[in-house]
Amino acid sequence: MATTTPDSPDIRSSRRAKSVGRAGDRVFSGLSRGSGITLLVIMAAIAVFLTYRAVLAISQDSTNFFTTFEWNPAANPPVFGIAVLAFGTVVSSVIAMAIAVPVAIGIALFISHYAPRKLAKPLAYVVDLLAAVPSIIYGLWGAIFLVPYLGGLNMWLDQYLGWTYIFDKSSDGVARNMFTVGILLAIMILPIITNVTREVFLQVPRMHEEAALALGATRWEVIRMSVLPFGRSGIISASMLGLGRALGETMAVAVVLSPSFVLSGHLLDPGGGTFAQNIAAKFNEANEFGRDALIASGLVLFVITLLVNGAARMIIARRKEYSGANA
Amino acid sequence: MKLSRNGLRASAIGALVVSGALVLSACGSDNNNEPTKDGGKTSAAASNIKCDGAKGQLLAAGSSAQKNAMDLWVKNFQAACSGVEVNYQAIGSGGGITKFNQGQVTFAGSDSALKDEEVAESQKICKGGKGVNLPMVGGPIAIGYKLDGVDNLVLDAPTLAKIFDTKITKWNDPAIAKLNPGAKLPDSTIQAFHRSDESGTTQNLGKYLSATAKADWKYDPKTKSWPAPGGQAANGSSGVATAVKDAEGSIGYFELSYATANKISTVSINTGASAPVAATTENASKAIAAAKVKGTGSDLALSLDYTTKAEGAYPLTLVTYEIACDKGNKAETLPTLKAFLNYTASEEGQKVLSDAGYAPLPAEIAAKVREIVPTLS
């Protein structure tokens, strides 16, 4: 925790002064500075590459890149737009977050505060293992196992919640839709959110919890009054990590979804698409220009991810009073 | 706190890189892993392969539609000629042509002939020559369906077009009933599946439908991605085959070998011939025999006659090409290239195709390919 506290200037300068002349310190500081710069250079290189190729493509797009519901860069003139992809990416991630975040917090609380120690360790380990399953495996599992089983749930949702519009199933078809993708993504991002959240919950100062207990709080009240407020910024950053994964998930979505370039709010109808899924599906057979167009769509995903991360940082910064540094 | 988060982010980026690599490798694997039936027979045939100074490594890439044929050929060729390694990456036709035109591979596999601008680009790599299309593998695209109680479904091009364009949505539609007198067609919805990824298979279906049912299929025949707004999609031929196998009342298209491997019933097409034509390798060869060579010189690009009414010719057929330089091949790979293509175009090479669910080239076209291959320089 102390690592996050910025040193006061005088401590810093005195430390620097001491390090002069010591070879080990100089090497280490050079190494770490080099690593930091390398990271920036890599990020800049990615951005430059994406922008360059994207500009090549977009400058020849005959329609509006942001509002076109079609993807056919091989046509003459080329027609492609990201409207459906942006919508699908955001919608599937929102569904995934809505399902995964509460469940992840529940699991994290159970592991950190409720489960007997004998159970907590293996459970945490199993959640860790979930993160190690490659996404193509999730995709195959989703397509072969989950899709047939979700047919019934879809029918049920359509029958009882059809009035909500989003759960109105307007066309027949198996459950290869955005809702299924959302559920699959939720399962995929669960481990990362759970693990980070659990770590944060374990960091709650013992004194806080004991103080609450001493005041006569029940275990739930302890969690509500000390654990959750303390962990809030941690939960948010964990969720953002999960969201980042959901936004960029490729193979699992490509295998499970039945994509189409139709914008529809009916989550149970097959259709829609995401940036990463579209790139995976179209990259192989695309010509040079088609690849540029796909890279342009990748640039949009890059920007969306940056915005989401930026927003998360702002939220966390606003809640600094709860961060571990002040505990 | 911050430290551990950054660590996680780093591992997340690592995971992204790994999954990216997975994407690139996973997408290429469009094979259905159908085991080849007779290892013994093919290795016996291997003894007739002429190696003619073939040596070293031959790099190739392209269409995944011909991957299983290529695997068989490579196995036999390498068994016969020691010290030769042929490496065919099934990364898709577009990728293969790109790699060929960048000089990264000696030949490319493609399900459609080179376009004019691609030929122009190939002149940079083929010093003094250009890329030429050599037809090598044919195969029927089967229309697979799952409909309990209906065994021999017959459809024609306009009906197929309307089904895949979701204009016909019920199995007991009069148009289907008329083609299948006596069949018990249920009053259920047709679930039409297409490819979600871009594919030469989709392109060939589109070409067929726009050639034979112009009024009902108004989409661009050249597009590799699915043009119609309706229907459902799955990834790869294997994905479509799995989806069709799983869903009652479904229909989809894929190479014949996927139908055989998954035991999916296939549609016979009413072409106007006296009897509906089933999707078999033999019937596909008959359709390719009706094709005309539209390329000039060493180029043997074919134009298939999708509207053929010849008896027993299955018109929905795909031809894949090997694309190489007619002149200006690299000296170090030229002998290997010629020896390998000599083998694939040879009678033995073509004979092994039907075992893998592909259609051998008709004798006349195979003979032309065999004339061209030795002239590559």
Side-chain angles (χ1 to χ4, degrees), chain A residues 1 172 196 258 281-282 284-285, chain B residues 1 8 27 92-93 95 189 224 233:
Chain A
M1 277 310 111
D172 287 304
V196 177
S258 160
K282 308 263 155 103
N284 275 343
E285 289 288 324
Chain B
M1 183 42 242
L8 271 162
C27 291
S93 306
T189 309
K224 284 183 173 178

Side-chain angles (χ1 to χ4, degrees), chain B:
Chain B
M1 183 42 242
K2 211 167 214 171
L3 272 182
S4 74
R5 201 172 65 210
N6 287 344
L8 271 162
R9 177 162 302 168
S11 62
I13 290 170
L16 249 173
V17 170
V18 172
S19 58
L22 244 172
V23 170
L24 293 177
S25 54
C27 291
S29 59
D30 206 338
N31 76 50
N32 55 347
N33 291 326
E34 198 194 8
T36 52
K37 285 176 208 145
D38 41 3
K41 191 179 125 195
T42 45
S43 58
S47 55
N48 295 328
I49 297 170
K50 294 191 195 78
C51 298
D52 286 339
K55 59 181 187 306
Q57 200 186 34
L58 186 63
L59 291 178
S63 165
S64 51
Q66 56 170 311
K67 180 178 188 298
N68 295 336
M70 199 49 89
D71 285 350
L72 214 54
W73 282 335
V74 167
K75 194 181 102 199
N76 293 345
F77 188 69
Q78 288 182 171
C81 308
S82 58
V84 180
E85 195 195 328
V86 183
N87 187 348
Y88 182 83
Q89 291 176 296
I91 57 170
S93 306
I97 291 171
T98 307
K99 280 197 163 197
F100 176 74
N101 278 342
Q102 288 170 350
Q104 293 178 35
V105 291
T106 310
F107 73 92
S110 172
D111 359 88
S112 48
L114 288 174
K115 291 185 204 126
D116 291 344
E117 63 264 28
E118 287 165 345
V119 174
E121 215 180 306
S122 72
Q123 285 165 336
K124 274 185 241 156
I125 295 300
C126 308
K127 297 268 151 40
K130 62 177 177 11
V132 290
N133 306 288
L134 303 170
M136 207 61 84
V137 188
I141 300 174
I143 311 285
Y145 68 98
K146 182 176 178 184
L147 195 59
D148 266 354
V150 181
D151 293 329
N152 299 307
L153 191 66
V154 177
L155 296 172
D156 60 7
T159 320
L160 273 175
K162 283 184 213 152
I163 288 175
F164 279 115
D165 199 13
T166 55
K167 295 286 187 293
I168 292 179
T169 56
K170 293 281 183 193
W171 277 110
N172 60 357
D173 191 278
I176 303 178
K178 208 175 126 198
L179 289 160
N180 296 277
K184 272 185 244 147
L185 296 164
D187 179 27
S188 59
T189 309
I190 301 178
Q191 299 199 30
F193 282 94
H194 55 259
R195 293 277 293 267
S196 61
D197 48 338
E198 300 208 335
S199 161
T201 317
T202 301
Q203 191 185 30
N204 273 280
L205 179 70
K207 280 187 194 162
Y208 166 73
L209 291 178
S210 30
T212 50
K214 190 99 203 115
D216 296 307
W217 192 258
K218 294 188 167 124
Y219 303 102
D220 175 11
K222 280 186 232 123
T223 174
K224 284 183 173 178
S225 53
W226 185 253
Q232 299 179 66
N235 194 34
S237 284
S238 51
V240 176
T242 313
V244 169
K245 203 183 166 194
D246 284 349
E248 177 62 28
S250 57
I251 189 166
Y253 59 92
F254 27 79
E255 288 79 23
L256 179 66
S257 52
Y258 293 91
T260 327
N262 291 295
K263 299 195 176 59
I264 296 171
S265 324
T266 58
V267 169
S268 296
I269 295 184
N270 182 342
T271 58
S274 64
V277 188
T280 64
T281 54
E282 209 178 305
N283 292 349
S285 287
K286 283 184 201 153
I288 303 172
K292 290 190 187 66
V293 175
K294 68 175 175 192
T296 50
S298 312
D299 187 34
L300 291 180
L302 298 178
S303 83
L304 287 168
D305 180 12
Y306 292 111
T307 56
T308 181
K309 288 179 183 166
E311 290 301 320
Y314 186 78
L316 181 45
T317 295
L318 177 146
V319 174
T320 60
Y321 302 91
E322 314 308 339
I323 292 167
C325 294
D326 57 352
K327 292 190 193 75
N329 282 294
K330 283 185 194 133
E332 62 269 28
T333 51
L334 183 64
T336 323
L337 173 73
K338 281 163 83 168
F340 182 69
L341 293 184
N342 247 330
Y343 162 60
T344 60
S346 70
E347 271 173 47
E348 302 101 89
Q350 290 292 314
K351 218 186 286 168
V352 300
L353 283 180
S354 37
D355 290 343
Y358 293 99
L361 294 175
E364 195 191 334
I365 292 170
K368 275 188 192 151
V369 178
R370 285 199 282 271
E371 275 169 36
I372 302 290
V373 170
T375 67
L376 299 179
S377 59

Side-chain angles (χ1 to χ4, degrees), chain A residues 39 52 55-56 70 91 96 131 137 140 157 178-179 181 209 259 268 273 280 294 317 321:
Chain A
L39 185 69
Y52 171 68
V55 166
L56 284 183
E70 211 185 323
V91 165
I137 305 288
L140 291 176
L157 285 171
M178 275 298 167
F179 187 63
V181 168
E209 293 183 40
L268 300 182
L294 289 172
E321 68 267 29

Side-chain angles (χ1 to χ4, degrees), chain A residues 34 68 129 207:
Chain A
T68 306
L129 270 184
M207 299 288 270

